[in-house]
Amino acid sequence: MSTYYLAIDIGASSGRHMLGSLENGKLKLEEIYRFPNGMKRVDGSLCWDVKALFYEIKEGLKRCKELGKIPSFLGIDTWAVDYVLLDQNDRILGKTYGYRDDRTNGMDAKVYEEISLKDLYARTGIQKQIFNTIYQLMAVKQKEPELFEKAKNMLLIPDYFNFLLTGEKRTEYTNATTTQLVSPVSKDWDYELIDMLGYPREIFGTISRPGALVGNFSKEIQDEVGFDCQVILPATHDTGSAVVAIPTTEDNALYISSGTWSLMGTERLEADCSEESRLRNLTNEGGYEYRFRYLKNIMGLWMIQSVRKELAEEYSYGYICEQAKKQKIPSIVDCNDDMFLAPESMTDAVRAYCEKTGQQAPQDEWETSAVIYNSLGKCYGDTIGQIEEMTGRQYDCIYVVGGGSNAEYLNQVTAKYTGRTVCAGPGEATAIGNLLVQMLYDKKFRDLKEARACVKKSFEIKKFG
């Protein structure tokens, strides 16, 4: 009888429960349950509905019970940087803000009153993004200081869900590094930095590495879903899990985790916190086995997702790719410009950028899509040059994993702008990486290299260029 492992993978627009098992040395996947997600306006703020998300987590668990496919282990991964503050009775304080909320505007200047951006990067190695937790917490200090007075714990989103399932409060390492408050040397909270910023140090719990056991379901959860299960920490940052599933046994592969965001980088054993690295806007996010994901955050398919929502009728991403491929418009936008973070209309934002920079403005949604795809390819090409200069290595192949690996036109554009072979797949990399860490905990693989070899053997990898 197969042992089942369950990856609960929650992204910014949807979540799913993916069952995994090993059969004849290959990984088998089955989607059990899927549910929508998204930030919603609450009194003018963009927020997550964590109560609704936890309801969906439990509904997916009940679905496993109904199917008679009960997992022995499960892991949860989500997006990074967002959190809840809990009071002494473990109730959420205030709103559960989403990272696209604008309350962090100007909070970088407040942080830099205590520590310069240069010194902050030297301490943490994390790329400045205005939505990083460090700036979100400064917004609490400046605008809602009463929350800090009542707060007893800060838990990142996946850690909060693990707490609701088990009653155990753990902070997982890979996601913690995205707060910009963790030392790449100690692999722990930089308490000196936390004190410097005036954040209450007691709310920051012990950091656990991916592959650690959180605990079993609480009695209340067992009674509700009908079974018990061991909860394991995968890389709870979804990109951290996706990188675990790169289909290669090379030690220095270059990857793009392609989804709402594009994360392009490589793995290193030590962080590069140099000033040159900071100026290139590269980051050192934590990875499995304390590897560092040396990468650049690029706006990614969020731009295409936003355009798709604006279309009069629902088109598939495949159809959008086909139409974009037919266009001849040469214009390029900077995908990382803040104007693309949360515009009212992505189509209008792309048009405005082109007009502002003296380029041909797209006339319809297909030209807009073509501009976005080509701009992503151009950004990838620029980034690979920077990474090669910083690492002293040359990369002949780019491993594209995640949902964007299914975008054939984007893969062709990526090969064109980078001049490298693109190896695309698997599309379900985040869930797969989540499952692999559970299987490593269960000693189904000797090490990460053997786990990645299983991915390479189990899934189709398409080549471009």
Side-chain angles (χ1 to χ4, degrees):
M1 184 176 177
S2 295
T3 299
Y4 288 112
Y5 306 82
L6 179 65
I8 302 176
D9 172 29
I10 308 177
S13 58
S14 67
R16 64 266 181 86
H17 291 55
M18 300 288 289
L19 269 182
S21 59
L22 285 173
E23 296 181 21
N24 300 318
K26 291 187 176 182
L27 181 59
K28 300 295 182 182
L29 292 180
E30 180 180 0
E31 183 178 300
I32 295 296
Y33 189 73
R34 181 176 284 269
F35 54 93
N37 189 25
M39 299 178 205
K40 298 177 181 177
R41 288 280 174 189
V42 178
D43 298 327
S45 303
L46 283 172
C47 298
W48 300 108
D49 189 343
V50 290
K51 184 176 180 180
L53 288 176
F54 190 59
Y55 169 84
E56 299 289 5
I57 288 172
K58 292 185 291 184
E59 288 299 296
L61 294 175
K62 292 174 186 176
R63 181 62 178 155
C64 293
K65 174 69 172 178
E66 291 170 4
L67 294 172
K69 297 180 177 181
I70 296 175
S72 299
F73 305 89
L74 75 77
I76 299 176
D77 66 78
T78 75
W79 64 97
V81 306
D82 290 338
Y83 63 91
V84 295
L85 294 175
L86 302 180
D87 68 11
Q88 61 183 0
N89 297 312
D90 296 326
R91 293 175 301 201
I92 294 178
L93 291 164
K95 300 173 182 175
T96 305
Y97 292 101
Y99 60 86
R100 294 189 191 277
D101 185 68
D102 63 5
R103 82 194 199 288
T104 55
N105 290 348
M107 293 303 108
D108 49 350
K110 292 295 183 181
V111 168
Y112 305 149
E113 288 177 7
E114 308 300 333
I115 182 172
S116 69
L117 177 57
K118 178 179 178 180
D119 290 343
L120 180 60
Y121 189 87
R123 291 184 79 111
T124 67
I126 297 298
Q127 167 190 17
K128 181 202 171 176
Q129 297 184 105
I130 194 60
F131 50 72
N132 286 353
T133 319
I134 189 173
Y135 306 111
Q136 294 200 43
L137 294 179
M138 183 56 73
V140 175
K141 180 183 175 183
Q142 296 294 322
K143 301 177 181 181
E144 301 175 285
E146 70 279 3
L147 299 185
F148 274 164
E149 294 173 8
K150 299 176 183 177
K152 297 299 179 184
N153 300 102
M154 183 199 76
L155 291 177
L156 296 165
I157 296 297
D159 301 321
Y160 177 60
F161 292 142
N162 286 335
F163 165 64
L164 294 179
L165 288 174
T166 68
E168 299 291 331
K169 295 172 182 172
R170 298 289 189 91
T171 299
E172 189 274 321
Y173 168 70
T174 67
N175 216 358
T177 64
T178 70
T179 65
Q180 210 170 356
L181 291 165
V182 170
S183 165
V185 178
S186 69
K187 316 295 192 295
D188 197 3
W189 298 113
D190 186 337
Y191 286 106
E192 184 179 18
L193 173 61
I194 287 166
D195 291 342
M196 194 184 306
L197 296 170
Y199 303 158
R201 65 158 54 201
E202 63 271 14
I203 69 175
F204 297 90
T206 302
I207 294 178
S208 300
R209 65 191 297 171
L213 172 69
V214 179
N216 285 64
F217 285 170
S218 67
K219 180 65 164 56
E220 179 183 357
I221 295 297
Q222 290 180 41
D223 291 344
E224 185 172 355
V225 303
F227 63 92
D228 192 14
C229 184
Q230 287 187 298
V231 178
I232 308 298
L233 289 178
T236 62
H237 181 197
D238 50 12
T239 306
S241 276
V243 171
V244 169
I246 296 170
T248 177
T249 55
E250 297 175 48
D251 288 329
N252 297 287
L254 189 77
Y255 58 80
I256 300 174
S257 175
S258 181
T260 300
W261 290 86
S262 290
L263 297 307
M264 185 176 192
T266 189
E267 289 182 305
R268 308 185 79 179
L269 298 180
E270 294 184 2
D272 184 341
C273 301
S274 68
E275 179 65 0
E276 185 177 0
S277 182
R278 182 186 74 83
L279 292 173
R280 293 179 181 272
N281 218 21
L282 292 161
T283 196
N284 298 269
E285 295 177 352
Y288 184 71
E289 291 183 331
Y290 289 139
R291 297 163 182 241
F292 288 96
R293 292 177 286 121
Y294 189 57
L295 57 83
K296 177 169 284 191
N297 284 279
I298 300 166
M299 194 67 75
L301 294 176
W302 158 252
M303 298 176 74
I304 286 291
Q305 292 165 358
S306 299
V307 169
R308 184 178 181 229
K309 288 180 181 178
E310 296 171 27
L311 297 177
E313 56 183 291
E314 283 293 304
Y315 292 107
S316 71
Y317 289 116
Y319 183 78
I320 293 173
C321 271
E322 290 175 12
Q323 296 304 310
K325 187 176 181 178
K326 299 174 183 177
Q327 311 307 312
K328 303 298 184 184
I329 184 169
S331 303
I332 297 291
V333 302
D334 177 4
C335 298
N336 290 323
D337 193 291
D338 286 346
M339 69 186 297
F340 301 124
L341 186 61
E344 290 294 325
S345 166
M346 187 63 72
T347 301
D348 290 347
V350 171
R351 184 182 299 114
Y353 185 98
C354 291
E355 291 172 347
K356 180 178 70 173
T357 54
Q359 300 182 80
Q360 178 182 336
Q363 298 302 305
D364 57 31
E365 61 268 37
W366 310 128
E367 286 195 346
T368 300
S369 299
V371 169
I372 292 171
Y373 283 126
N374 279 280
S375 298
L376 283 171
K378 173 68 163 54
C379 190
Y380 297 158
D382 293 343
T383 301
I384 193 173
Q386 294 174 359
I387 292 174
E388 286 184 337
E389 288 178 12
M390 293 303 298
T391 62
R393 295 182 178 275
Q394 282 201 311
Y395 304 94
D396 297 324
C397 180
I398 303 171
Y399 293 90
V400 179
V401 297
S405 67
N406 298 315
E408 185 168 314
Y409 178 52
L410 179 56
N411 292 326
Q412 292 169 349
V413 166
T414 300
K416 169 188 169 183
Y417 279 99
T418 63
R420 310 299 197 280
T421 299
V422 171
C423 296
E428 301 291 351
T430 299
I432 292 168
N434 183 327
L435 294 168
L436 292 180
V437 173
Q438 296 177 50
M439 292 174 178
L440 282 159
Y441 173 85
D442 197 30
K443 302 191 186 316
K444 296 301 181 184
F445 303 112
R446 289 190 301 271
D447 52 28
L448 180 59
K449 183 170 285 192
E450 185 175 64
R452 284 175 167 167
C454 179
V455 177
K456 187 176 181 180
K457 180 170 61 174
S458 302
F459 301 97
E460 180 184 10
I461 311 299
K462 295 182 179 179
K463 291 189 175 183
F464 300 84

